Amino acid sequence: MHVDLWREMRSSPAGIFGMAIVAIIAGLAVSAPLIAPSYREIGPVFSPPSGEHLLGTDDLGQDIAAKLIHGARTSLMIAVGVALLSALISVVVGGSAAMLGGTYDRVCMRAVDAVISLPSVVVMILVAAYLRPSLGLLIILISLFSWPGGARIVRSQTLSLRERLHVVAARAFGASRRYILLRHIVPDLGPILVAIMIQDARRAVLMEAGLAFLGVSDPMMVSWGRMMKQAMSFTYLDVWKWWLIPAGVLLSLTLVGLSLIAASLERAMDPRLQEDA
C-alpha cells in the first residue's frame, strides 16, 4: 500500500493549516521549561492582565499564561503516549487476529465489541477512586479504551494485505506468521497507522481535558481541563475572562488542528487503497 503522507498533506490546505496549529502548540509544549520556568511562583491573587502577568494570576497567585503553556505540555505528552500505546495494541490484536484467524480471531473481535460497549468515562472515574490519578495512569486508561477502532481497521487491512504476492511468496518460502506480520504487513500499514494515531491523539486530548474537568486528574499536574474547572468556581469575578476562555480556546485549537490533519489523511484510511499496490 503506497501512500505518500506528505503528498496527502500538501494537497490539502486544511491539512497544512492543521499542521501549523499543532506545530505551534507542540512548540509551546516543548519549550515550556524555557518560556515559563517559574509558573509555580506565588504572587498576588486574581491580578488582572499586565506586563508582568499577560493573563493575570489565579486564586493561588500563579501566572495563568505560564500555566496555559505547561497545560499544552501535559496534553502533548498524553496525546503522544496514548497514540503510541493504543496503536501498538491495535497492531498486536488486529494483526494477530487476521493472521491466525479461527477461534482466536472471533475471541479478539468479541473482546473489541466488549471494550467498545463499556462506558469509558464511568470506568475511569471508578478506577481513579481506588488509584491515585497520574500521567501514566491516564495514558494507560485512555489507551485501553482507544484501541478497538484501530484494531478493527488493522484486521481488515491485514486480511487484504496477506493475499498480496510478496506476502504469499514469503509464506511459500516458509516464513512464519510473526515474521510476515512484522516485516511485510506492518510496513504496508504505515500510512493507516499514522492516521489511526492522529485520531487516537485527538481523542486523548479531549478525554484528558474532560476527565480533568470532572476532577479525575493528578492535582499536581497542570491541565487545561483542570484550569477550566477551577475557573468555573470564580465566575462571579472578572477573573474568568482571562482564565477560562484562553484555556478553552487552546484546547479547541488543538482539537481542530488534529481534526484537520486527520481529515487530510482520510485517503490513507480508505480500504480501496488496497488496489493501489
Side-chain angles (χ1 to χ4, degrees):
M1 183 178 299
H2 303 290
V3 180
D4 188 336
L5 293 180
W6 179 240
R7 184 186 64 193
E8 296 293 326
M9 294 297 302
R10 287 187 303 174
S11 64
S12 171
I16 295 175
F17 184 59
M19 283 196 66
I21 294 176
V22 173
I24 293 173
I25 301 296
L28 289 175
V30 172
S31 59
L34 300 177
I35 299 176
S38 57
Y39 78 98
R40 293 186 183 275
E41 290 184 0
I42 297 177
V45 299
F46 297 141
S47 296
S50 62
E52 184 178 2
H53 304 289
L54 296 180
L55 293 174
T57 60
D58 59 14
D59 58 321
L60 297 177
Q62 295 177 337
D63 189 278
I64 293 175
K67 293 183 71 173
L68 280 175
I69 295 174
H70 281 267
R73 190 178 181 86
T74 299
S75 294
L76 179 65
M77 288 190 293
I78 288 181
V80 173
V82 170
L84 292 174
L85 182 56
S86 61
L88 176 61
I89 299 174
S90 296
V91 169
V92 171
V93 176
S96 62
M99 295 299 295
L100 296 176
T103 302
Y104 178 80
D105 182 20
R106 291 192 293 273
V107 170
C108 287
M109 291 303 99
R110 297 298 77 76
V112 167
D113 295 337
V115 174
I116 292 176
S117 66
L118 291 175
S120 57
V121 175
V122 175
V123 173
M124 291 182 189
I125 292 176
L126 290 176
V127 172
Y130 293 94
L131 300 176
R132 182 177 181 273
S134 64
L135 183 66
L137 180 62
L138 282 177
I139 290 175
I140 293 174
L141 287 177
I142 297 175
S143 298
L144 290 178
F145 288 98
S146 300
W147 65 269
R152 282 181 169 176
I153 295 173
V154 169
R155 175 182 175 273
S156 65
Q157 291 299 309
T158 302
L159 288 173
S160 173
L161 291 172
R162 72 178 186 177
E163 303 302 326
R164 298 294 175 86
L165 291 178
H166 66 286
V167 176
V168 173
R171 191 160 54 238
F173 279 102
S176 66
R177 292 171 177 172
R178 179 182 176 183
Y179 179 89
I180 292 173
L181 180 63
L182 296 179
R183 297 298 296 270
H184 295 285
I185 303 296
V186 172
D188 286 344
L189 288 173
I192 288 181
L193 290 178
V194 171
I196 291 174
M197 290 172 67
I198 292 174
Q199 295 279 14
D200 289 339
R202 180 182 61 178
R203 176 185 172 92
V205 171
L206 181 59
M207 289 193 69
E208 185 279 326
L211 290 171
F213 189 83
L214 294 174
V216 185
S217 65
D218 186 348
M220 301 303 295
M221 184 174 63
V222 181
S223 166
W224 291 333
R226 186 172 181 81
M227 290 180 67
M228 288 188 285
K229 173 182 173 61
Q230 293 171 334
M232 289 293 291
S233 301
F234 302 98
T235 53
Y236 56 89
L237 300 175
D238 288 340
V239 65
W240 72 271
K241 296 179 181 179
W242 57 83
W243 191 356
L244 186 148
I245 294 179
V249 168
L250 280 181
L251 175 61
S252 299
L253 285 175
T254 302
L255 295 175
V256 168
L258 291 172
S259 298
L260 292 175
I261 294 175
S264 69
L265 294 177
E266 185 177 359
R267 181 172 178 269
M269 300 284 285
D270 191 343
R272 289 172 296 180
L273 280 177
Q274 62 188 7
E275 301 173 0
D276 297 336

